[in-house]
Amino acid sequence: MTRTDGSSELERGSLALARLGVCALVLAGAAIPLYLLAKQALTPELESFAWPPNWLSHDLTFEHFASVFAVSELRSAVIRSFAVAIVSAAVATAMGAMLAYAMARGRASRSVGFAAVSGARLLPMIAVAIPLAVWLVTLGLYDSPSGAGLALVHAALALPTAALTAYSAFAAIPFELEEAAWLDGASPMRIFFSIDLPQARGALAAAFILCFILSWDEFGFALLIQVSNRTLPPLLYYYTVFGNVGPASALALLMMIPAIVVVIALRPVLSGSLLSGGLR
Amino acid sequence: MAELVARNLTRRFASGGGISDVSLSVATGEFMVLLGPSGCGKSTLLRLIAGLEQPDSGTIEFASGADADPERRAIAMVFQNFALYPHMTAFENIAFPLRLRRTRRDQIEARVAQAAETAGLKIELRRYPAQLSGGERQRVALARALVREPAVILMDEPLSSLDARLRGALRLELKEFQRRVQRTIVYVTHDQAEAFGLADRIAVMCDGRIEQVGSPEEIYQRPATAFVAGFVGSPPMNLFRARRTNQGESWMAEGISMPVPASSSAGDEITVGFRPIDIAVSGAPSLIAIPVEVEDSEFTGSGFLVRCRAGSIVVHALFEEKPERGERRTIFVDPADLHFFDSTSGHRIE
């Protein structure tokens, strides 16, 4: 073995070490709050306020979970949150896909689309909050038990995210494939559904997940619009406000489950290894 | 009988390029090759025939019934990159045109199997395009074009994205394919070896116009314009300008005297050409003698391609032995092997 080989191996080794360090740091940044949350959720009320704070609790308890499940509002809030997230994510993804497709295929629609999407993102949400609420009152959707009004707002909020996520996927599909399908005898509608949509499904699944999580977490509009028919984030907020740290932590922990389930459920679609190689 | 007739087609693009006033007739069962350098408009013409572009003016008529709607025209196309649908298996790719026509399932299977066999596809049809080699993708594309039994198959440089060895093998296969399926094929390429190997007739294009349409032999032996003469043949024809002598009986260029073409109505200047292969290194009195100085030579396998200079004229010649650089030689050309072209219009003068 020559010396240059040795030194390059050394370099590679230290590079790998540095990479490992960065990974550990990032992981720690995510894991430590998560651990504290889980600890808090499982620690008896008195001990969670112990000073100095401890990393490991002496007694484990499920009483916080029990008290969360005992809340009569929980069941309806879970269902409502879930329905709002699913519906708004579905609407945003469907509309975002259409917008993204137009942006990917037309020069005029690309500039208009980008202007609209980034404009919507630049707008401070608080500026539209009151008018939106008024509008929902007129429509009869304000504080509706089904959460339809909030779903509508969340869909609008998520639309730019969905469109931008889907855009790059559609833009990557060669136009030649559409021409080939057209010559094979496919209508424009058929081309979109048979050629473009299947190839973009990985990106659309990602868009759906992002929109779902966006809605599942969303607090401000949920607080404003679902005043009495609450979703989960305001519920969690009221717990914290009234100092119920244990149950709040337990609820926060439970809230992570659906998001994880959605990500896992859509994993096969996300890994699109099958979806390349039509063109050389 | 003409399978398709294009009349006075014009399609210009804002970014430049396109075609102007192009007319072309393709006979049924004919293998027509559109040959030209990149940007000459050959792909535009093909896309107009396909219906992917609309002409600014002019018409295209099909024997199978003119229809503006490409989905109803009996036309299939093989794209440069094959344009296989990556999310469908080879079978689904080939079956796609049939599915769109709501063909019965058992019929689809039979016709896909038949098209795959005709295209020389011997693979598992359940595989995806990403799992296929370049040659196999090419055959899937051919099978997909064939499966709907089109009257015309258009091909846009279908071999250009393959590596050289595969290209040669598939060229032979394409020819065999054409013999088997007996369909009209319009084929675009910039590769003259491909054109000469495949075509019944070649349409040579340049600058959005068709320069000449003819059999490969006609194109090679009697190029209709100076452009065709310089584009076709490898190495290309030597072309240079000559002026009329005072007597008006011969043409002169750098001291070389050449006989007048029989029906010359040209002006005082003319373009003269002869092929490197027609040059002899030893002469007879009936031949035109050209004194040259050797500038450079390259080994071609069968001999040497030599660049010589006669005054301001550069002449490429084929020698059997390697000449020295700077060597003075005389090369000889038979007057019968000379080609004459009008210097302004570029048209051939007989």
Side-chain angles (χ1 to χ4, degrees), chain A residues 175-188 190 194-196 198-199 273-280, chain B residues 47 50 52 69-71 77 79 81-88 96-97 100-101 128-130 134 137 144 148 161:
Chain A
F175 189 58
E176 253 183 356
L177 290 186
E178 290 193 14
E179 292 188 330
W182 170 251
L183 283 172
D184 279 346
S187 63
R190 183 67 192 249
S194 293
I195 306 299
D196 294 289
Q199 291 186 68
S273 62
L274 229 61
L275 305 175
S276 57
L279 294 179
R280 277 177 51 95
Chain B
R47 291 171 60 82
L52 292 171
D69 204 351
E71 63 176 295
M77 184 154 163
F79 286 79
N81 296 317
F82 313 143
L84 298 181
Y85 312 126
H87 58 294
M88 298 185 192
F96 188 64
L100 294 172
R101 284 165 183 74
Y128 286 90
R137 287 179 197 171
R144 187 177 66 187
R148 37 185 290 209
S161 60

Side-chain angles (χ1 to χ4, degrees), chain A residues 222-280:
Chain A
L223 189 69
L224 180 76
I225 292 165
Q226 301 300 125
V227 183
S228 56
N229 296 305
R230 286 183 197 136
T231 57
L232 283 172
L235 202 67
L236 183 64
Y237 168 73
Y238 285 119
Y239 265 128
T240 336
V241 165
F242 297 121
N244 298 317
V245 178
S249 304
L251 180 56
L253 214 57
L254 290 172
M255 274 187 68
M256 289 169 53
I257 294 170
I260 293 169
V261 167
V262 168
V263 171
I264 290 172
L266 288 177
R267 242 176 78 127
V269 197
L270 278 174
S271 63
S273 62
L274 229 61
L275 305 175
S276 57
L279 294 179
R280 277 177 51 95

